[in-house]
Amino acid sequence: MNHSSFNSRDCGTCPIRHRAVCSRCEPDELEHLDEIKYYRTYEAGQPVIWAGDPMEFVASVVTGIATLSQTMEDGRTQMVGLLLPSDFIGRPGREIAPFDVVAVTDLTLCCFRKKPFEDLMGSTPSIGTRLLQMTLDELDSAREWMLVLGRKTAREKIASLLLIIARRDAALYKRLPADGMAFDLPLTREAMADYLGLTLETVSRQISALKKSGVIQLQGKRQVHIPDLQRLVSETGDDLDGGPIF
C-alpha cells in the first residue's frame, strides 16, 4: 500500500464528485470532510483489507476497481461484488470488515478516518442521506446479480456484465449510454470468469461469439465498442419493458 498525493486533492475537481458519498455536501461541509480525508493507492492484486480485520477507515473508490470476496472454511473463495469508481467501502458503525477487498487494477481510494466520519454524519444530514441512497442502489444491484448468477446463460451473463460496466462508465462521465459508446474493460477475462462463476474458456468463447455477431467490437486489448446499445441489452435476457436495474 502506498500513500498518495492524488492530483485531485481538491474536492471540486474530483472525478467522482457528482456520484460519491459527498455529492450533496455544501462547501463548508466539504471543508470538514477535507480535514479527515487522505488518499491511499494500491497496485493491482494488493489487498485493501481482509475479512475480520478491524475497519479503521471508510473510503470512496476514486479510480480503479476492487473486488469483494468471501472465503469459506474449506478455502474456496467466492467473489460477491465489484467496487467501481464512486462506490463506498466500509459501513459506519461496523467495526469489522465483512469481506476481503482486493484491488483488481491500480486503485486510488479517498479515505476518511472512521470515527470522525461517523461523528460528521450526525451533524451533516446530506452525507447520511446520500449514503442511504447508495446503500439502496447497492441492494438493487445485489438483487439483480442474484438473477444474473442464478438464472442466466453464459452469454447473458457476459452481456449483463458488459452492460453494467458500460452504464457505470457513462454515468461517471455524466453521459447517457448510447449507440457507438466505448469503454475500457477493467477486468481480465480470468476475473470475469471468477465473478460470473464461469470457466476462462467459456468467457473467452462467449466474448468471441458476441464479437463475431457484431454485438460488440474489440479495439486493442481492453477497449469495448458498442455499435448498437439496444442489441447488447437484448443479449442480457432482461425484460426490455422494465429494463435491468443498474
Side-chain angles (χ1 to χ4, degrees):
M1 183 267 297
N2 302 311
H3 292 275
S4 168
S5 56
F6 187 66
N7 60 11
S8 288
R9 176 89 195 171
D10 176 16
C11 291
T13 60
C14 177
I16 61 167
R17 171 79 172 87
H18 61 294
R19 288 183 55 88
V21 70
C22 56
S23 63
R24 298 185 178 186
C25 289
E26 299 294 332
D28 61 321
E29 295 168 340
L30 288 176
E31 288 181 12
H32 291 307
L33 277 175
D34 193 57
E35 293 171 359
I36 63 170
K37 83 176 181 184
Y38 56 95
Y39 291 97
R40 284 181 173 175
T41 61
Y42 301 82
E43 296 178 354
Q46 254 189 314
V48 175
I49 195 165
W50 296 116
D53 285 351
M55 284 292 298
E56 298 176 352
F57 66 92
V58 294
S60 292
V61 177
V62 181
T63 61
I65 286 186
T67 59
L68 291 171
S69 59
Q70 196 161 33
T71 302
M72 293 176 278
E73 288 185 4
D74 61 3
R76 287 178 295 165
T77 299
Q78 175 62 53
M79 194 186 304
V80 296
L82 287 177
L83 293 167
L84 304 172
S86 79
D87 283 341
F88 196 71
I89 299 174
R91 292 290 181 269
R94 178 176 286 177
E95 302 300 323
I96 302 298
F99 302 110
D100 298 334
V101 180
V102 179
V104 176
T105 65
D106 290 348
L107 183 73
T108 299
L109 301 181
C110 177
C111 304
F112 304 99
R113 289 180 286 124
K114 188 167 175 292
K115 183 62 170 64
F117 184 85
E118 291 171 347
D119 293 341
L120 193 58
M121 281 185 64
S123 60
T124 312
S126 61
I127 294 178
T129 300
R130 176 59 181 149
L131 190 57
L132 174 61
Q133 182 184 40
M134 294 173 73
T135 302
L136 293 174
D137 288 344
E138 185 179 327
L139 178 60
D140 284 341
S141 295
R143 287 169 172 166
E144 187 68 22
W145 269 113
M146 290 173 64
L147 172 63
V148 171
L149 298 179
R151 292 294 180 182
K152 292 193 175 186
T153 67
R155 185 180 177 106
E156 289 169 344
K157 287 181 179 182
I158 296 295
S160 296
L161 181 58
L162 292 175
L163 185 61
I164 288 173
I165 296 173
R167 286 178 164 167
R168 284 294 300 270
D169 186 78
L172 190 63
Y173 294 103
K174 301 182 182 180
R175 295 192 293 256
L176 291 175
D179 294 348
M181 68 181 298
F183 61 92
D184 288 331
L185 185 62
L187 298 174
T188 64
R189 295 188 181 190
E190 290 87 347
M192 292 173 69
D194 188 15
Y195 189 39
L196 295 171
L198 302 171
T199 65
L200 174 59
E201 292 76 14
T202 298
V203 170
S204 295
R205 186 166 59 249
Q206 294 301 330
I207 288 177
S208 295
L210 288 170
K211 177 184 175 183
K212 186 175 181 180
S213 60
V215 177
I216 62 172
Q217 297 171 357
L218 301 179
Q219 300 170 354
K221 289 186 177 180
R222 289 289 181 89
Q223 191 175 74
V224 178
H225 182 264
I226 304 174
D228 185 338
L229 182 65
Q230 196 58 38
R231 191 171 175 202
L232 176 63
V233 171
S234 69
E235 290 287 351
T236 68
D238 288 303
D239 176 6
L240 300 185
D241 292 329
I245 305 172
F246 295 134

